[in-house]
Amino acid sequence: MRIRIVVACLMAIALAWLLSATRSVSVPAPAATAPPTQAAGKPIDFDREIRPILSDTCFSCHGPDEKQRMANLRLDETEGLFIDRGGYKIIVPGNSAQSRLYQKISSKDPAVRMPPVFANRTLTDAQVELIEKWIDQGAHWERHWAWIAPKRPAVPEVQDKAWPRNPIDDFVLARLERQGLKPSPPADKATLLRRVTFDLTGLPPTPAELDSFLADNAAAAYEKRVDQLLASPHYGERMAMDWLDLARYADTHGYHIDSLRDMWRWRDWVIDAFNRNMPYDQFTIKQLAGDLLPNATVEDKIATGFNRNHMIDFEGGAIPQEYHVEYVVDRVSTTGTAWLGITIGCARCHDHKYDPIKQKDFYRFFAFFNTVPERGLDGQLGNAAPVLELPSPEQKSQFAGLEAQISKTLAAIPEKEMVALQNQWRRQPLAPLPATLEEGLAARYEFQGNLKDSSGHALDAKATRGDVVYDDGPVGQAADFTGETQVDFPAGDFERDRPFALAFWAGPDGTKGLDLIQKHSASPNWRGYEISTGDPTFDGPQRPRFTIFVRLASHWPDDAIEVKSKERVRFNGDHHLVVNYDGSGKASGVSLLVDGKPLETQAVKDHLTGSISTESALSVGNKAIGRPLKGQLDDFRLYSRTLRPSEADALAIQVPERALFTELAGKPVEEISTLQPEKPPAEVDIGMEDQPPTKEEKDASQLKEHQARLSEYYLKYEAPENDRQLYAQLNDLRAQKANLQQSIPTIMVMAEMKKPRDTFVLGRGQYDNPKEKVTPGVPSFLPPLPPRAPPNRLGLAAWIVDPQNPLTARVAVNHFWQGYFGIGLVKTSEDFGSQGEPPSNPELLDWLATEFIRTGWNVKAMQRLIVTSATYCQSSKVTPELEERDPENRLLARGPRVRLPAEEIRDNALAISGLLNDKIGGPSVYPYQPKGIWEEMAFGEGFSGQTYHESAGPDLYRRSMYTVWKRTVPPPALTTFDAPDREKCTARRIPTNTPLQALVLLNDPTYVEAARALAQRMMETGGKSAADRVDFAFRLATDREPSPAEREVLVATYRDQLADFQRQTEDAAKLLSVGASRYDPRLNKSELAAWTTVASMILNLDETITKE
Amino acid sequence: MNQHQLTLAMTRRTFFRRSTAGVAIGIPALAGLLSQDGLAVEPGRDPRTGGLIGFPDLAPKAKRVIFLHQSGAPSQIELFDYKPKLRQLQGQELPDSVRNGQRITGMTSGQSSFPVAAPIFNFRQAGQSGAWISELLPHTAAIVDDITIVKTVYTEAINHDPAITFIQTGFQQPGRPSMGSWVSYGLGSENQNLPAFVVLISQANALNPDQPLFSRLWGNGFLPSKYQGVKFRASGDPVLYLSNPLGISPTTRRRMLDGIAKLNGLLAAEYGDPEIEARVTQYEMAYRMQTSVPELADLSKEPESTFALYGEDARKPGTYAANCLLARRLAERGVRFIQLYHRGWDQHNDLPRDIALQCKGVDQASAGLVQDLKQRGMLDDTLVIWGGEFGRTVYCQGKLTATNYGRDHHPRCFTMWMAGGGVKRGITIGQTDDYCYNVVEDPVHIHDVQATVLNCLGIDHTKLTYKFQGRYFRLTDVAGNVVIKALA
């Protein structure tokens, strides 16, 4: 509401302004007769000089966004600029004085002057003058450069013909010569090798590589080395590093609880694609639509993980539809940024303010990504649907084998006959339960909709807090405890020297240990007994196994028995528990049976001497004294004797069966559901988790389930021997298959719904505000989908890599360029639109883009072209004059000098210290991280990714691109060096220089350990003298010899430190103890420690962390 | 001020231009060369603070902010927004006319009934202003004449992740800079030895403590990473990687730093890149942080009276009380934005038990902080804010009994209070309806809160912008009105 009012006000002001202007400006002589003023100076380039001003200053009110447009005036198109507006024109070419635009922007009257004060935009005098000149020169207008497909420019003529090595250099040099600048001399060989090795592999050259390169005097030595680097398997890693930022790759889901996902196979795919030099068009098509390719391979499908790398939510209470929209929006924005360099995401809520992207264009693009069979809330258990299973060849053949055996077994089972026999059995009278089950029965609570004692020996139980809800249970109905319910049972006052037994069904929910039965007070020194679950381990997120605890006490915890199960039990539903106590006063007198089978126990406490009799109630769900039960309780029996295994078995198996038998009397079974082939899982869709079943559906499914349970009993215990065996065999095979299924890794991928959902324009971008229905399509200001392209992601991908697409190749080569020079030819690599910065060298950009297409999108060839240019090979040293004229090196009169990316800073330290484990690919690893930084922000137990389990051994030293990336707590040592959090697509990192970076390099155990390992290397292979060792390490870190002055600083530090550490040997030992790796104990500790400090200094040098 | 300090917070490029050519001489030359190509020139920054030149653009009342965020959303119904009529409505169904189409979270949307739950706690009038305050907050009641209570804050999100992201960054979805990042980007730092934006995390007092936090809440979004909040931690190093490694004595560290500075100096002479000298400066600041942070975090020299004021809990590192005390010490040292979190306010069930525990954990220390600042004369230029990310429903979640109930998330109204620099004292703003469900008078949107905070710091929230993806982004997105009634 408020916004609308403001807008209305602004429009009123704008209109008033137009009218007032019309009145106040005296109309000069008709434009047609006025000779155009001859503006002096060089011609003004509209696209580079004028449009950026208009865009930044005027478009937000007079641009593409129809709804926000003021005064019905549009300045981003020719029509708005040049049409006759009934007696006046915005621009009269050649006559600034008659042009309303100029009149407005040059007015001295603040009420008239544009832009208005409330717009928070101003035009400088120079800008006003520039616009004036442009109009006077004839107001030449052209379309925004980025929307026009690049035409291959002619390679320009240059004066210094000796300098260029390839056409890149001609373009760069022509620009420099126009500015009266000269390129820098070439970088020395060592610097160049270090630069190109980092740029193509992310690692420093080894000393051997350096030596052999320095010794190679062949003319093509450098090109030869470049080719070797391009062939290195680490090339793919280096290229993937940048792509991971664009792909917002991470190992967790990102929202709220932020648990783990498993997408590293996609990362491996990217590394491999670069290493195999997959053409960029293929690289694009596979990631956007690999699943839709004819005969799509598993690899093609893995590639589509790109568009599943977005964040996924499962916050309790969130609305699935709301988050589903966010996922699709993210795919649209990311695809727009990564491939097209357009800020299409800005058109989610309204037409784009600067670029001609309509809101409808956004939702047509959205439609390409809106037909994935996915849930709005998902990911609690790891990967979210849809997933691709990636069995190993072994698992695959095992799986096929099991499936074949299952169908064979199913075929061998005479189902019809079994049904007939079973129905016959069902008509027979039941065999009686063991009569002894009534013996010694002190109380029995069946929970058939009430809390009555059915044994006749005890009183009824009572709900003392909350209400009991009754639900379908193992034996008829069961009591459902919510955590808000407490029931007190007036029974179970037993003594230490008398035997007793408790038998019940329990189905505790959740991932935390709970108290099942408690008979004692709230006192910390309680008397009585309790049965609890606790100490979980996890088979997977939210799949806990619990230890069962039985405690009897006269005075807890010192006069007590505590017994726990040796094995943990998985409470996936209800289990029957029997706790026996033989009255011996010993822990060995407690036994535990689960589902009728004895469970081994061990004693924790075994010292009970006093009475355990207490007046405290036997209660379930008492939150005052523990962790109240959440979940089911059924058929609760108390005995004043112990139960025999056969009796426990009867309680667990026959009692429920009898209940079913009675319930289903007269309802013969028609088919045995467990003998049907398993149905493939239904396709998931947003909001599926939202719809509770109707009462009819619930009843029907309950009947079906009870039939299955009774059939199960029949086939297990009552059917003819042969049938029982077949059935047991089938069950066993199915259990094996289920286990195998759970161990098969998955990856999230793109897929299409069988029945695609519709897409609508969403009013103001809100999920619950659908407007016009739309079909998939591309923005109308760009070329149309190629002929015969299908209207799906595959068609979209084909459109993106169509040579007619003006953006894709430019955006790609610009990303490459940015990787080498720190800044792209278009600095705003995320935005090629009218608000982005125009290219610093447009001809070069277009030449590279067309060259990229011409070579068949050959990625390695493009890298080779750039790194073998004279431009790239220049020295990065800078004169004060040049630094002042061109601080960001946009003109490229020198080579790049860029701080290494976060990952490479660490990888470099590991590499030169010899610690690096350069294994390629695989799951993410957990290197050193300060303790507790995940935990202090975590949700708690029951979800993955809440506690940090540091890796051990070689995994501590993997390259940083494999460090586990938790979105809500990204690796601090990497983010300190400007790595993004990976919540959203990031097209470029903005380098900063902060004190926290110094703290990381000086104090992070990673770097302290690396310094120690480097010190050891210095002592073992760096020569004998201090100077030699300094030279050795310095060269490892910088690929050059230190100057005498530099050497002296390091040698002097060594001497001082050695003296100190010889006095303080404890300090030396402490310093050497940092890190998990061990040092050679034969080395002198004080010397090693002194060298460690020197090595640490070397690792901290600006030069070490910079690509010179 | 020496040259190092002068250049401390300057960006690489302005550093160069200033140190070699005097103030800003380089800029026109550069502009002349590049701007004709439409290439951007970085805006200038204040050499002293590192803030943007031109900011603050209004007369600042506050120099710094302490934001006491109660994560999980405290119930306004139990604490501040006294509704005596609820007792009569206890157990009655919330009328549809009151709910009026408000969407409900997935946690209660399946409930068949929405019975009104009256708070079981008593309220008393406090101070000269006579504001009604819950018996759970006796210390807050004692400072009521120093604070402005806003009962009508409202938001749009109904779940924690989007709501807390909204109040901290002005947008429900990730990707935007946090409030503290905006402030340190705009105003820079008043301090040479500490970060401009510090984050303190305190764990819950409630028995049901689960409430995740995310780095994005103090993240830099699309701003350069140096503007992100720096966490001060209660265990381990107060700042990550602050301590020297084992076996590295202060002498050794100094020696190493001197050596590194010399070597980097030699390199700078060779390469001419001003970035190298900037790095030397950062190493010196890191060194100073190594002494200033432990001194700051050491509460042992605080007199007994401090602990009487903040509560005995303040002796235990990591508690909310200790963090409030730390916040004052940070404020004293010129830290610009102190973002404190207290987890554990998400009372879907067992609200009476857990909210009482939470209040015990925060009441005295929050009030103590305000009093302490006042005693020290710092309340005039320090803005303290207290509140969660949304409110809680008047209807019960789960089972309603005479002694127990829970409340779901409620976006349409909740209470925050502010104190100090720039805001009035002893007033209450806004009225909600009898159900504590809808705002009746003076609605205050999250963006309005943010606009007001910036206003107190002397920033017009529509002017502090950063161009990203072609758009001039701001903390308040496209909305926000300063809450004039709150301003002193």
Side-chain angles (χ1 to χ4, degrees), chain A residues 21-37:
Chain A
T22 315
R23 282 195 304 273
S24 64
V25 175
S26 57
V27 181
T33 57
T37 323

Side-chain angles (χ1 to χ4, degrees), chain B residues 469-485:
Chain B
Q469 294 201 336
R471 182 180 155 192
Y472 292 89
F473 282 92
R474 52 185 231 222
L475 173 61
T476 49
D477 201 32
V478 295
N481 290 307
V482 174
V483 183
I484 303 290
K485 279 191 180 177

Side-chain angles (χ1 to χ4, degrees), chain A residues 57-75:
Chain A
T57 320
C58 316
F59 286 2
S60 68
C61 299
H62 302 296
D65 183 358
E66 222 170 313
K67 290 208 186 82
Q68 297 280 312
R69 200 176 299 146
M70 311 267 183
N72 193 25
L73 174 60
R74 183 166 183 183
L75 299 177

